[in-house]
PDB file of all heavy atoms in Angstrom:
ATOM      1  N   VAL A 274       4.175   7.327  -0.131  1.00 98.00           N
ATOM      2  CA  VAL A 274       2.871   6.661  -0.141  1.00 98.00           C
ATOM      3  C   VAL A 274       1.768   7.691   0.102  1.00 98.00           C
ATOM      4  O   VAL A 274       0.732   7.675  -0.578  1.00 98.00           O
ATOM      5  CB  VAL A 274       2.813   5.522   0.903  1.00 98.00           C
ATOM      6  CG1 VAL A 274       1.390   5.039   1.146  1.00 98.00           C
ATOM      7  CG2 VAL A 274       3.714   4.372   0.463  1.00 98.00           C
ATOM      8  N   GLU A 275       1.987   8.573   1.045  1.00 97.00           N
ATOM      9  CA  GLU A 275       0.999   9.631   1.331  1.00 97.00           C
ATOM     10  C   GLU A 275       0.732  10.466   0.077  1.00 97.00           C
ATOM     11  O   GLU A 275      -0.409  10.779  -0.248  1.00 97.00           O
ATOM     12  CB  GLU A 275       1.507  10.513   2.473  1.00 97.00           C
ATOM     13  CG  GLU A 275       0.498  11.504   2.981  1.00 97.00           C
ATOM     14  CD  GLU A 275      -0.626  10.857   3.771  1.00 97.00           C
ATOM     15  OE1 GLU A 275      -0.392   9.845   4.453  1.00 97.00           O
ATOM     16  OE2 GLU A 275      -1.755  11.378   3.695  1.00 97.00           O
ATOM     17  N   ALA A 276       1.799  10.821  -0.640  1.00 97.00           N
ATOM     18  CA  ALA A 276       1.646  11.601  -1.866  1.00 97.00           C
ATOM     19  C   ALA A 276       0.918  10.794  -2.946  1.00 97.00           C
ATOM     20  O   ALA A 276       0.067  11.338  -3.665  1.00 97.00           O
ATOM     21  CB  ALA A 276       3.009  12.064  -2.368  1.00 97.00           C
ATOM     22  N   LEU A 277       1.230   9.505  -3.056  1.00 97.00           N
ATOM     23  CA  LEU A 277       0.537   8.658  -4.026  1.00 97.00           C
ATOM     24  C   LEU A 277      -0.956   8.569  -3.718  1.00 97.00           C
ATOM     25  O   LEU A 277      -1.794   8.677  -4.619  1.00 97.00           O
ATOM     26  CB  LEU A 277       1.146   7.250  -4.031  1.00 97.00           C
ATOM     27  CG  LEU A 277       2.491   7.092  -4.723  1.00 97.00           C
ATOM     28  CD1 LEU A 277       3.113   5.750  -4.366  1.00 97.00           C
ATOM     29  CD2 LEU A 277       2.333   7.242  -6.222  1.00 97.00           C
ATOM     30  N   VAL A 278      -1.289   8.370  -2.449  1.00 98.00           N
ATOM     31  CA  VAL A 278      -2.706   8.287  -2.050  1.00 98.00           C
ATOM     32  C   VAL A 278      -3.416   9.604  -2.364  1.00 98.00           C
ATOM     33  O   VAL A 278      -4.530   9.602  -2.893  1.00 98.00           O
ATOM     34  CB  VAL A 278      -2.843   7.906  -0.558  1.00 98.00           C
ATOM     35  CG1 VAL A 278      -4.286   8.063  -0.076  1.00 98.00           C
ATOM     36  CG2 VAL A 278      -2.361   6.474  -0.336  1.00 98.00           C
ATOM     37  N   GLY A 279      -2.768  10.717  -2.068  1.00 97.00           N
ATOM     38  CA  GLY A 279      -3.365  12.015  -2.389  1.00 97.00           C
ATOM     39  C   GLY A 279      -3.612  12.176  -3.870  1.00 97.00           C
ATOM     40  O   GLY A 279      -4.677  12.648  -4.291  1.00 97.00           O
ATOM     41  N   TRP A 280      -2.631  11.779  -4.675  1.00 98.00           N
ATOM     42  CA  TRP A 280      -2.768  11.860  -6.129  1.00 98.00           C
ATOM     43  C   TRP A 280      -3.916  10.959  -6.609  1.00 98.00           C
ATOM     44  O   TRP A 280      -4.767  11.392  -7.395  1.00 98.00           O
ATOM     45  CB  TRP A 280      -1.451  11.473  -6.794  1.00 98.00           C
ATOM     46  CG  TRP A 280      -1.534  11.357  -8.281  1.00 98.00           C
ATOM     47  CD1 TRP A 280      -1.776  12.353  -9.178  1.00 98.00           C
ATOM     48  CD2 TRP A 280      -1.380  10.159  -9.045  1.00 98.00           C
ATOM     49  NE1 TRP A 280      -1.779  11.849 -10.455  1.00 98.00           N
ATOM     50  CE2 TRP A 280      -1.525  10.498 -10.401  1.00 98.00           C
ATOM     51  CE3 TRP A 280      -1.110   8.834  -8.710  1.00 98.00           C
ATOM     52  CZ2 TRP A 280      -1.433   9.562 -11.426  1.00 98.00           C
ATOM     53  CZ3 TRP A 280      -1.011   7.911  -9.726  1.00 98.00           C
ATOM     54  CH2 TRP A 280      -1.166   8.277 -11.069  1.00 98.00           C
ATOM     55  N   LEU A 281      -3.945   9.704  -6.136  1.00 97.00           N
ATOM     56  CA  LEU A 281      -5.009   8.783  -6.535  1.00 97.00           C
ATOM     57  C   LEU A 281      -6.381   9.300  -6.103  1.00 97.00           C
ATOM     58  O   LEU A 281      -7.352   9.208  -6.858  1.00 97.00           O
ATOM     59  CB  LEU A 281      -4.755   7.394  -5.941  1.00 97.00           C
ATOM     60  CG  LEU A 281      -3.575   6.632  -6.537  1.00 97.00           C
ATOM     61  CD1 LEU A 281      -3.251   5.419  -5.682  1.00 97.00           C
ATOM     62  CD2 LEU A 281      -3.843   6.237  -7.982  1.00 97.00           C
ATOM     63  N   ASP A 282      -6.455   9.844  -4.905  1.00 97.00           N
ATOM     64  CA  ASP A 282      -7.726  10.403  -4.421  1.00 97.00           C
ATOM     65  C   ASP A 282      -8.198  11.544  -5.314  1.00 97.00           C
ATOM     66  O   ASP A 282      -9.388  11.632  -5.650  1.00 97.00           O
ATOM     67  CB  ASP A 282      -7.596  10.910  -2.979  1.00 97.00           C
ATOM     68  CG  ASP A 282      -7.521   9.789  -1.958  1.00 97.00           C
ATOM     69  OD1 ASP A 282      -7.817   8.628  -2.301  1.00 97.00           O
ATOM     70  OD2 ASP A 282      -7.168  10.098  -0.798  1.00 97.00           O
TER      71      ASP A 282
END
Side-chain angles (χ1 to χ4, degrees):
V274 166
E275 188 72 33
L277 285 167
V278 170
W280 173 66
L281 290 168
D282 287 347

